[in-house]
Amino acid sequence: MAMIELKKLVKSYGRTDIIHGIDLEIKDGEFVVFVGPSGCGKSTTLRMIAGLEEVSGGEICIGGTLVNDMDPKERNIAMVFQNYAIYPHMSVRQNIAFGLYTAKMSRQDKDKRVSEAAETLGLTQYLDRRPAALSGGQRQRVAIGRAMVRSPSAFLFDEPLSNLDAQLRAQMRIEIKALHQRLGTTIVYVTHDQVEAMTMADRIVVMNGGHILQAGAPMDLYENPVDVFTARFIGSPSMNIVQGREGADGITSDPGGNLKLGIRPQDLLVNQPVPDPVLTLSGPVTVVEPLGHETLVHFQAAGQTVIGTAPGGQAPAVGSQVTAALPRGRLYTFDATSEKSLGRK
Amino acid sequence: MTSPPKAPTPPFASLPFARVRPGKIITWTLLFIGGVMMVTPLLFMFSTSLKTSGQIYDLRLIPADPTIQNYVTVLADGRFLKWFMNSMLIATVVTLSNLFFDSLVGYTLAKFEFRGRKLIFIAILSTLMIPTEMLVIPWYLMSANLGWLDSYWGIMFPGMMTAFGTFLMKQFFEGVPNDFLEAARIDGLNEFEIWWKIAMPLVTPALSALAIFTFLGNWTAFFWPLIVTTSPELYTLPIGLTSFAVEQSIQWEMIMTGAALATIPTLVIFLALQRYIVRGVMLAGLKG
Ligand SMILES: Nc1ncnc2c1ncn2[C@@H]1O[C@H](COP(=O)(O)OP(=O)(O)OP(=O)(O)O)[C@@H](O)[C@H]1O
Ligand SMILES: [Mg+2]
């Protein structure tokens, strides 16, 4: 177990900088999730921590030791890949045992470790199978098993669940989280799925274009995003952004205004009484998405499509006029040009 | 809404041949002709090996009076066994050498970034365009200078590594996903172990194909072994069989017996390795 520090970390390919000097301190035992759009440098950062990619500038320390020039094997980290990358020509048992390749321990001890890991992951009955005879979820578990047996100082996951179907993903999410709670090992986890980030992380690191935009606890990011990008990235469906203005009569939507107003669809209540709303929007309904416990209502307002929420059984008809209101305290405001947060109203 | 009119059932549709399309018939016919053309010489070889010298111009496929006397004669003659073992030794060593070195170089060219990589690859590839006939003289002069003439090493050295094998292995290694190699790097294998324990098993189809080609090529090699050897103890089987032919009169039945025996190892190699030439083994370790 160890803390991981990134100091002014830079990665460039030729003359192009991909990572622009990021600073981050990951505490011992912390579960940190990197999120960001495709190509923002999440994998590159993770691979530099793993030692698979050379560092172009700055420092990486694991457990207080500078590891910039160390081989992956000297860093005692374990990594789980998006494609699982379990060796197809070996049985499940051999695959898991490969995690102990360099471990100096007796045959029996290794066997014991492998059996324990298999037990934990529910793989005991598949130990003698080849990967080809396993389902996607089982293969991913083998990959986790190979990472687990070693008791590494940190686990690195690069989008480990993105090849699984929605149901299995939800299940594996819980399993990985449970694993973290049991082992208490530092985890750095990369995903572009914000639901994974919200549900699993102790701390989320939002990246864009090779920069860290914000790092914080999931609810903190949800409630206090520093800018429009983070605000839209965290939360599903994405926050509505409407151009607006603050005047004597309060905040109103205005295409020429100097504010960007952020409205979470969950906060924007359609056809429901809201005492003293901070903002109301109305317009014709274009799309209705019933989710069961609530209904997402897409309607035209302020010259764009806005998403609001209606209670489960009350879907308004497409084409009908609706009025949606936002309770006070639930309006996120941003500067229209810099897109930086100006706090909630 | 009206349902679209059903196509009328063609006559004789229930008969099995009615469903065979003309394209198929042509394909089968061509394949059949090709098959017959390839198998006939083999059958004649085998048939001749069972005939006595008096019967060899009797072109019946099934000998009137089959005998295994030729086999007894050939196998009892120590020279045949010696040549057989020579060929076996040379083909085996050269094949193993190619499997090792071609894939080592192919892997390096496929998976490592280094200055001059493209140039080296092009240089290797360009040697494919030089015909053996042109190389024989330099080989011979080199062997003469180094004292390799009339030795096993002299026969083997030109083929210990081939551009074709390197090229083949490089192409296959390029298909090995880097994730496997990186996973192994994290598991703590060194680069040589990654190649040997992870990458090599993933290209068994290519290795099998290369083994078959190389073994067959060396087993049947004639031109260079003929030039480089002078003592009969060092002859390979093809050279030995030819020397049979010219000893007194041409003894066709003996040549055919020797040739029939010579096909056995190639058959064994092929049957043993062909099942590894199955594609798709590699993908099983990746996503679902
Ligand atoms: N070998 C390379 N040479 C040049 N540029 C590269 C190389 N590898 C990656 N990049 C660039 O680095 C950037 C970051 O890539 P990275 O794989 O880290 O993105 P990511 O955040 O993991 O995206 P995704 O969510 O799609 O996996 C990308 O813009 C990519 O084009
Ligand atoms: Mg990535």
Side-chain angles (χ1 to χ4, degrees):
Chain A
M1 278 190 244
M3 68 186 290
I4 301 172
E5 295 155 276
L6 313 181
K7 296 174 192 160
K8 303 252 173 311
L9 189 63
V10 174
K11 177 68 190 179
S12 23
Y13 287 109
R15 236 168 280 146
T16 343
D17 282 4
I18 302 297
I19 305 290
H20 306 272
I22 59 176
D23 287 292
L24 186 69
E25 204 167 284
I26 298 166
K27 289 194 279 295
D28 187 12
E30 198 176 16
F31 195 138
V32 167
V33 176
F34 283 53
V35 284
S38 193
C40 70
K42 309 179 294 289
S43 299
T44 308
T45 309
L46 196 74
R47 290 164 54 81
M48 281 195 283
I49 298 174
L52 294 172
E53 207 80 62
E54 255 178 66
V55 172
S56 316
E59 294 182 348
I60 299 178
C61 296
I62 299 178
T65 318
L66 183 69
V67 298
N68 279 30
D69 297 319
M70 283 190 188
D71 282 341
K73 61 179 165 192
E74 297 170 284
R75 303 186 183 198
N76 192 28
I77 34 80
M79 185 157 170
V80 176
F81 295 81
Q82 177 173 1
N83 289 330
Y84 322 152
I86 52 176
Y87 312 122
H89 56 292
M90 298 180 195
S91 68
V92 169
R93 186 191 304 279
Q94 289 169 315
N95 263 288
I96 297 179
F98 238 72
L100 294 171
Y101 192 77
T102 52
K104 290 188 181 56
M105 55 171 82
S106 69
R107 199 40 185 276
Q108 287 91 332
D109 287 348
K110 283 190 180 179
D111 285 348
K112 194 157 153 277
R113 285 278 193 96
V114 172
S115 317
E116 280 167 6
E119 188 71 38
T120 312
L121 295 166
L123 288 170
T124 307
Q125 71 208 88
Y126 307 111
L127 274 175
D128 294 311
R129 285 211 199 162
R130 289 289 173 96
L134 297 178
S135 73
Q138 290 163 344
R139 288 180 200 182
Q140 191 55 289
R141 259 179 275 229
V142 175
I144 294 173
R146 183 176 62 188
M148 241 171 80
V149 277
R150 188 147 27 127
S151 324
S153 51
F155 286 110
L156 310 178
F157 287 88
D158 192 353
E159 307 203 22
L161 308 184
S162 53
N163 283 326
L164 304 178
D165 64 46
Q167 210 170 354
L168 202 50
R169 209 179 310 160
Q171 184 194 335
M172 289 299 290
R173 217 156 60 200
I174 295 165
E175 285 183 21
I176 293 176
K177 198 168 169 174
L179 194 70
H180 176 247
Q181 270 153 10
R182 191 146 34 85
L183 303 177
T185 311
T186 313
I187 293 185
V188 186
Y189 188 107
V190 163
T191 179
H192 54 233
D193 178 347
Q194 60 93 25
V195 177
E196 263 172 47
M198 287 296 282
T199 52
M200 301 171 85
D202 292 330
R203 194 147 58 107
I204 297 180
V205 176
V206 181
M207 289 186 69
N208 192 24
H211 294 279
I212 292 182
L213 296 186
Q214 190 172 5
M219 277 322 282
D220 189 35
L221 259 63
Y222 185 83
E223 293 293 342
N224 307 303
V226 292
D227 60 9
V228 172
F229 183 87
T230 314
R232 283 185 58 81
F233 205 84
I234 305 291
S236 169
S238 276
M239 183 186 274
N240 301 294
I241 300 290
V242 175
Q243 203 88 8
R245 171 172 58 77
E246 182 158 25
D249 49 346
I251 293 175
T252 49
S253 80
D254 172 2
N258 60 348
L259 290 180
K260 283 200 166 149
L261 308 178
I263 306 152
R264 294 222 179 264
Q266 288 79 4
D267 296 333
L268 187 62
L269 307 175
V270 174
N271 287 347
Q272 291 167 79
V274 174
D276 185 27
V278 64
L279 186 74
T280 49
L281 296 167
S282 51
V285 175
T286 52
V287 176
V288 176
E289 293 181 273
L291 299 178
H293 62 292
E294 61 179 21
T295 305
L296 296 178
V297 180
H298 300 234
F299 61 98
Q300 286 299 124
Q304 66 186 77
T305 302
V306 174
I307 306 177
T309 314
Q314 300 180 19
V318 171
S320 66
Q321 284 284 328
V322 289
T323 300
L326 189 67
R328 200 159 284 282
R330 297 309 308 166
L331 180 68
Y332 298 76
T333 57
F334 304 94
D335 184 89
T337 40
S338 71
E339 302 207 330
K340 292 280 177 248
S341 173
L342 299 172
R344 279 213 315 264
K345 296 274 154 79
Chain B
M1 205 181 114
T2 57
S3 61
K6 285 223 175 70
T9 316
F12 314 120
S14 58
L15 296 176
F17 59 80
R19 257 172 259 139
V20 175
R21 274 178 285 113
K24 277 259 166 83
I25 296 178
I26 295 173
T27 315
W28 287 345
T29 312
L30 288 177
L31 282 176
F32 180 75
I33 295 172
V36 168
M37 274 168 40
M38 278 189 277
V39 169
T40 311
L42 286 174
L43 288 178
F44 262 99
M45 172 185 80
F46 187 62
S47 148
T48 309
S49 73
L50 298 176
K51 293 173 184 172
T52 59
S53 58
Q55 296 173 320
I56 52 168
Y57 294 108
D58 167 10
L59 292 183
R60 259 179 301 182
L61 197 53
I62 298 171
D65 182 16
T67 168
I68 57 161
Q69 186 52 45
N70 295 332
Y71 286 89
V72 176
T73 313
V74 166
L75 288 175
D77 186 329
R79 290 176 304 168
F80 178 85
L81 271 184
K82 179 72 184 154
W83 297 332
F84 190 94
M85 292 319 288
N86 285 348
S87 274
M88 197 57 139
L89 175 80
I90 287 163
T92 307
V93 171
V94 173
T95 302
L96 291 179
S97 162
N98 271 280
L99 289 180
F100 186 84
F101 289 109
D102 292 356
S103 47
L104 190 60
V105 175
Y107 178 76
T108 309
L109 289 173
K111 289 297 179 189
F112 289 95
E113 299 272 343
F114 55 90
R115 203 176 273 269
R117 172 170 81 151
K118 278 232 174 70
L119 201 70
I120 292 175
F121 181 58
I122 292 171
I124 292 177
L125 260 196
S126 58
T127 65
L128 275 178
M129 289 164 215
I130 307 173
T132 313
E133 287 74 5
M134 256 176 77
L135 291 168
V136 162
I137 293 170
W139 285 345
Y140 188 86
L141 293 176
M142 184 173 152
S143 311
N145 287 334
L146 293 168
W148 293 349
L149 288 180
D150 209 23
S151 71
Y152 284 134
W153 175 246
I155 303 174
M156 292 190 296
F157 84 89
M160 295 300 274
M161 247 194 89
T162 61
F164 171 73
T166 308
F167 172 72
L168 180 81
M169 294 317 298
K170 173 184 179 276
Q171 297 308 80
F172 268 80
F173 279 122
E174 273 175 357
V176 173
N178 285 332
D179 280 2
F180 288 134
L181 314 179
E182 293 181 341
R185 220 158 272 153
I186 286 181
D187 284 339
L189 279 73
N190 64 36
E191 294 301 322
F192 186 83
E193 291 172 319
I194 293 173
W195 168 69
W196 184 248
K197 294 192 173 170
I198 307 295
M200 284 291 263
L202 294 176
V203 294
T204 24
L207 290 172
S208 311
L210 182 61
I212 292 175
F213 291 143
T214 315
F215 191 89
L216 289 192
N218 282 279
W219 185 257
T220 56
F222 186 78
F223 194 36
W224 175 247
L226 177 68
I227 290 172
V228 80
T229 52
T230 37
S231 11
E233 312 84 78
L234 284 172
Y235 283 175
T236 57
L237 200 49
I239 318 292
L241 287 179
T242 323
S243 75
F244 247 42
V246 291
E247 242 167 23
Q248 302 135 11
S249 59
I250 297 183
Q251 298 173 284
W252 282 115
E253 73 286 1
M254 290 299 167
I255 296 176
M256 289 305 151
T257 307
L261 288 169
T263 56
I264 294 173
T266 61
L267 278 178
V268 170
I269 292 277
F270 188 76
L271 292 178
L273 292 182
Q274 66 153 0
R275 68 198 164 100
Y276 293 108
I277 310 184
V278 220
R279 300 259 302 128
V281 197
M282 193 147 68
L283 296 176
L286 294 177
K287 64 178 181 184

